[in-house]
mmCIF file of all heavy atoms in Angstrom:
data_model
loop_
_atom_site.group_PDB
_atom_site.id
_atom_site.type_symbol
_atom_site.label_atom_id
_atom_site.label_comp_id
_atom_site.label_asym_id
_atom_site.label_seq_id
_atom_site.Cartn_x
_atom_site.Cartn_y
_atom_site.Cartn_z
ATOM 1 N N HIS B 95 79.892 83.185 101.036
ATOM 2 C CA HIS B 95 79.149 83.390 102.309
ATOM 3 C C HIS B 95 78.605 84.819 102.357
ATOM 4 O O HIS B 95 79.327 85.780 102.010
ATOM 5 C CB HIS B 95 80.080 83.186 103.504
ATOM 6 C CG HIS B 95 80.739 81.860 103.491
ATOM 7 N ND1 HIS B 95 80.133 80.742 104.045
ATOM 8 C CD2 HIS B 95 81.916 81.404 103.019
ATOM 9 C CE1 HIS B 95 80.919 79.676 103.889
ATOM 10 N NE2 HIS B 95 82.027 80.080 103.275
ATOM 11 N N CYS B 96 77.393 84.952 102.819
ATOM 12 C CA CYS B 96 76.768 86.262 103.030
ATOM 13 C C CYS B 96 75.895 86.142 104.259
ATOM 14 O O CYS B 96 75.083 85.255 104.387
ATOM 15 C CB CYS B 96 75.981 86.659 101.838
ATOM 16 S SG CYS B 96 75.165 88.278 102.023
ATOM 17 N N LEU B 97 76.077 87.080 105.191
ATOM 18 C CA LEU B 97 75.334 86.979 106.480
ATOM 19 C C LEU B 97 74.310 88.108 106.668
ATOM 20 O O LEU B 97 73.821 88.314 107.743
ATOM 21 C CB LEU B 97 76.321 87.008 107.659
ATOM 22 C CG LEU B 97 77.077 85.709 107.933
ATOM 23 C CD1 LEU B 97 78.066 85.932 109.107
ATOM 24 C CD2 LEU B 97 76.132 84.558 108.282
ATOM 25 N N ILE B 98 73.981 88.818 105.575
ATOM 26 C CA ILE B 98 73.145 90.003 105.741
ATOM 27 C C ILE B 98 71.737 89.654 106.301
ATOM 28 O O ILE B 98 71.123 90.500 106.941
ATOM 29 C CB ILE B 98 73.057 90.813 104.447
ATOM 30 C CG1 ILE B 98 72.556 92.207 104.728
ATOM 31 C CG2 ILE B 98 72.231 90.107 103.386
ATOM 32 C CD1 ILE B 98 73.002 93.264 103.791
ATOM 33 N N ALA B 99 71.256 88.433 106.082
ATOM 34 C CA ALA B 99 69.936 88.051 106.588
ATOM 35 C C ALA B 99 70.024 87.182 107.854
ATOM 36 O O ALA B 99 69.023 86.658 108.326
ATOM 37 C CB ALA B 99 69.170 87.328 105.481
ATOM 38 N N ASP B 100 71.245 87.051 108.368
ATOM 39 C CA ASP B 100 71.505 86.215 109.562
ATOM 40 C C ASP B 100 70.830 86.876 110.794
ATOM 41 O O ASP B 100 70.957 88.128 110.990
ATOM 42 C CB ASP B 100 73.003 86.116 109.775
ATOM 43 C CG ASP B 100 73.367 85.380 111.024
ATOM 44 O OD1 ASP B 100 73.406 84.180 111.006
ATOM 45 O OD2 ASP B 100 73.658 86.074 112.024
ATOM 46 N N ASP B 101 70.105 86.111 111.586
ATOM 47 C CA ASP B 101 69.338 86.654 112.731
ATOM 48 C C ASP B 101 70.248 87.443 113.703
ATOM 49 O O ASP B 101 69.899 88.526 114.177
ATOM 50 C CB ASP B 101 68.640 85.534 113.496
ATOM 51 C CG ASP B 101 67.476 84.994 112.709
ATOM 52 O OD1 ASP B 101 67.013 85.673 111.756
ATOM 53 O OD2 ASP B 101 67.014 83.884 113.031
ATOM 54 N N GLU B 102 71.384 86.864 114.008
ATOM 55 C CA GLU B 102 72.314 87.520 114.952
ATOM 56 C C GLU B 102 72.854 88.840 114.356
ATOM 57 O O GLU B 102 72.987 89.828 115.084
ATOM 58 C CB GLU B 102 73.484 86.559 115.217
ATOM 59 C CG GLU B 102 74.307 86.897 116.424
ATOM 60 C CD GLU B 102 75.377 85.835 116.683
ATOM 61 O OE1 GLU B 102 75.011 84.655 116.915
ATOM 62 O OE2 GLU B 102 76.574 86.162 116.597
ATOM 63 N N VAL B 103 73.123 88.833 113.074
ATOM 64 C CA VAL B 103 73.596 90.028 112.382
ATOM 65 C C VAL B 103 72.539 91.134 112.432
ATOM 66 O O VAL B 103 72.791 92.301 112.708
ATOM 67 C CB VAL B 103 74.048 89.711 110.934
ATOM 68 C CG1 VAL B 103 74.131 90.966 110.080
ATOM 69 C CG2 VAL B 103 75.407 88.961 110.969
ATOM 70 N N VAL B 104 71.281 90.728 112.089
ATOM 71 C CA VAL B 104 70.156 91.666 112.098
ATOM 72 C C VAL B 104 70.026 92.305 113.525
ATOM 73 O O VAL B 104 69.847 93.519 113.662
ATOM 74 C CB VAL B 104 68.866 91.006 111.646
ATOM 75 C CG1 VAL B 104 67.681 91.919 111.825
ATOM 76 C CG2 VAL B 104 68.983 90.492 110.200
ATOM 77 N N ALA B 105 70.115 91.471 114.531
ATOM 78 C CA ALA B 105 70.014 91.966 115.915
ATOM 79 C C ALA B 105 71.153 92.882 116.288
ATOM 80 O O ALA B 105 70.920 93.903 116.925
ATOM 81 C CB ALA B 105 69.927 90.736 116.890
ATOM 82 N N MET B 106 72.352 92.473 115.907
ATOM 83 C CA MET B 106 73.552 93.286 116.225
ATOM 84 C C MET B 106 73.423 94.673 115.520
ATOM 85 O O MET B 106 73.717 95.719 116.136
ATOM 86 C CB MET B 106 74.837 92.609 115.710
ATOM 87 C CG MET B 106 76.127 93.276 116.164
ATOM 88 S SD MET B 106 77.573 92.872 115.149
ATOM 89 C CE MET B 106 77.631 91.069 115.226
ATOM 90 N N ALA B 107 73.006 94.689 114.294
ATOM 91 C CA ALA B 107 72.894 95.928 113.546
ATOM 92 C C ALA B 107 71.871 96.848 114.240
ATOM 93 O O ALA B 107 72.115 98.075 114.394
ATOM 94 C CB ALA B 107 72.469 95.621 112.107
ATOM 95 N N LYS B 108 70.785 96.315 114.626
ATOM 96 C CA LYS B 108 69.739 97.093 115.275
ATOM 97 C C LYS B 108 70.211 97.625 116.605
ATOM 98 O O LYS B 108 70.042 98.820 116.881
ATOM 99 C CB LYS B 108 68.477 96.212 115.450
ATOM 100 C CG LYS B 108 67.214 97.016 115.682
ATOM 101 C CD LYS B 108 65.987 96.144 115.570
ATOM 102 C CE LYS B 108 64.726 97.020 115.843
ATOM 103 N NZ LYS B 108 63.480 96.176 115.831
ATOM 104 N N ALA B 109 70.848 96.751 117.396
ATOM 105 C CA ALA B 109 71.285 97.198 118.710
ATOM 106 C C ALA B 109 72.341 98.268 118.650
ATOM 107 O O ALA B 109 72.412 99.190 119.478
ATOM 108 C CB ALA B 109 71.849 95.945 119.453
ATOM 109 N N GLU B 110 73.225 98.210 117.623
ATOM 110 C CA GLU B 110 74.340 99.142 117.568
ATOM 111 C C GLU B 110 74.108 100.325 116.610
ATOM 112 O O GLU B 110 74.962 101.200 116.481
ATOM 113 C CB GLU B 110 75.622 98.402 117.157
ATOM 114 C CG GLU B 110 75.945 97.279 118.131
ATOM 115 C CD GLU B 110 77.385 96.808 118.038
ATOM 116 O OE1 GLU B 110 78.217 97.565 117.503
ATOM 117 O OE2 GLU B 110 77.689 95.714 118.526
ATOM 118 N N GLY B 111 72.967 100.314 115.914
ATOM 119 C CA GLY B 111 72.646 101.404 114.986
ATOM 120 C C GLY B 111 73.636 101.437 113.823
ATOM 121 O O GLY B 111 74.091 102.516 113.383
ATOM 122 N N ILE B 112 74.034 100.251 113.325
ATOM 123 C CA ILE B 112 74.908 100.154 112.190
ATOM 124 C C ILE B 112 74.208 99.363 111.080
ATOM 125 O O ILE B 112 73.178 98.796 111.294
ATOM 126 C CB ILE B 112 76.243 99.463 112.571
ATOM 127 C CG1 ILE B 112 76.027 98.018 113.031
ATOM 128 C CG2 ILE B 112 77.000 100.292 113.630
ATOM 129 C CD1 ILE B 112 77.319 97.255 113.349
ATOM 130 N N THR B 113 74.805 99.341 109.883
ATOM 131 C CA THR B 113 74.204 98.589 108.791
ATOM 132 C C THR B 113 74.354 97.097 109.026
ATOM 133 O O THR B 113 75.312 96.691 109.722
ATOM 134 C CB THR B 113 74.859 98.952 107.433
ATOM 135 O OG1 THR B 113 76.238 98.516 107.453
ATOM 136 C CG2 THR B 113 74.821 100.459 107.151
ATOM 137 N N ARG B 114 73.495 96.331 108.443
ATOM 138 C CA ARG B 114 73.536 94.878 108.585
ATOM 139 C C ARG B 114 74.827 94.346 107.898
ATOM 140 O O ARG B 114 75.463 93.403 108.407
ATOM 141 C CB ARG B 114 72.316 94.219 107.986
ATOM 142 C CG ARG B 114 71.049 94.486 108.840
ATOM 143 C CD ARG B 114 69.890 93.670 108.321
ATOM 144 N NE ARG B 114 69.431 94.161 107.035
ATOM 145 C CZ ARG B 114 68.862 93.354 106.093
ATOM 146 N NH1 ARG B 114 68.700 92.084 106.333
ATOM 147 N NH2 ARG B 114 68.463 93.862 104.944
ATOM 148 N N SER B 115 75.201 94.956 106.798
ATOM 149 C CA SER B 115 76.397 94.442 106.106
ATOM 150 C C SER B 115 77.681 94.716 106.902
ATOM 151 O O SER B 115 78.636 93.950 106.863
ATOM 152 C CB SER B 115 76.509 94.999 104.692
ATOM 153 O OG SER B 115 76.189 96.356 104.649
ATOM 154 N N MET B 116 77.657 95.829 107.702
ATOM 155 C CA MET B 116 78.796 96.093 108.589
ATOM 156 C C MET B 116 78.870 95.047 109.715
ATOM 157 O O MET B 116 79.948 94.490 110.023
ATOM 158 C CB MET B 116 78.652 97.511 109.162
ATOM 159 C CG MET B 116 79.799 97.950 110.050
ATOM 160 S SD MET B 116 79.581 99.714 110.498
ATOM 161 C CE MET B 116 81.001 99.877 111.549
ATOM 162 N N ALA B 117 77.637 94.773 110.275
ATOM 163 C CA ALA B 117 77.601 93.766 111.329
ATOM 164 C C ALA B 117 78.018 92.393 110.809
ATOM 165 O O ALA B 117 78.653 91.611 111.502
ATOM 166 C CB ALA B 117 76.144 93.716 111.880
ATOM 167 N N ALA B 118 77.651 92.136 109.544
ATOM 168 C CA ALA B 118 77.953 90.824 108.962
ATOM 169 C C ALA B 118 79.507 90.641 108.902
ATOM 170 O O ALA B 118 80.028 89.596 109.145
ATOM 171 C CB ALA B 118 77.362 90.762 107.561
ATOM 172 N N MET B 119 80.218 91.710 108.531
ATOM 173 C CA MET B 119 81.670 91.615 108.397
ATOM 174 C C MET B 119 82.278 91.396 109.767
ATOM 175 O O MET B 119 83.243 90.608 109.935
ATOM 176 C CB MET B 119 82.239 92.891 107.740
ATOM 177 C CG MET B 119 81.909 93.028 106.297
ATOM 178 S SD MET B 119 82.636 91.716 105.268
ATOM 179 C CE MET B 119 81.399 91.596 103.947
ATOM 180 N N ARG B 120 81.714 92.055 110.773
ATOM 181 C CA ARG B 120 82.209 91.905 112.121
ATOM 182 C C ARG B 120 82.012 90.407 112.593
ATOM 183 O O ARG B 120 82.893 89.856 113.223
ATOM 184 C CB ARG B 120 81.488 92.867 113.064
ATOM 185 C CG ARG B 120 82.180 92.997 114.443
ATOM 186 C CD ARG B 120 81.580 94.141 115.238
ATOM 187 N NE ARG B 120 81.768 95.443 114.597
ATOM 188 C CZ ARG B 120 81.218 96.562 114.997
ATOM 189 N NH1 ARG B 120 80.458 96.564 116.097
ATOM 190 N NH2 ARG B 120 81.427 97.670 114.376
ATOM 191 N N LYS B 121 80.858 89.883 112.265
ATOM 192 C CA LYS B 121 80.590 88.471 112.640
ATOM 193 C C LYS B 121 81.532 87.534 111.887
ATOM 194 O O LYS B 121 82.000 86.538 112.460
ATOM 195 C CB LYS B 121 79.125 88.102 112.370
ATOM 196 C CG LYS B 121 78.850 86.641 112.815
ATOM 197 C CD LYS B 121 77.386 86.308 112.894
ATOM 198 C CE LYS B 121 77.166 84.821 113.195
ATOM 199 N NZ LYS B 121 75.777 84.434 113.316
#
Side-chain angles (χ1 to χ4, degrees):
Chain B
H95 305 273
C96 179
L97 283 177
I98 196 153
D100 175 83
D101 288 343
E102 196 177 298
V103 162
V104 172
M106 189 201 304
K108 199 168 178 183
E110 302 199 17
I112 61 177
T113 65
R114 290 187 291 149
S115 42
M116 183 174 177
M119 290 297 149
R120 194 170 299 172
K121 181 167 174 178

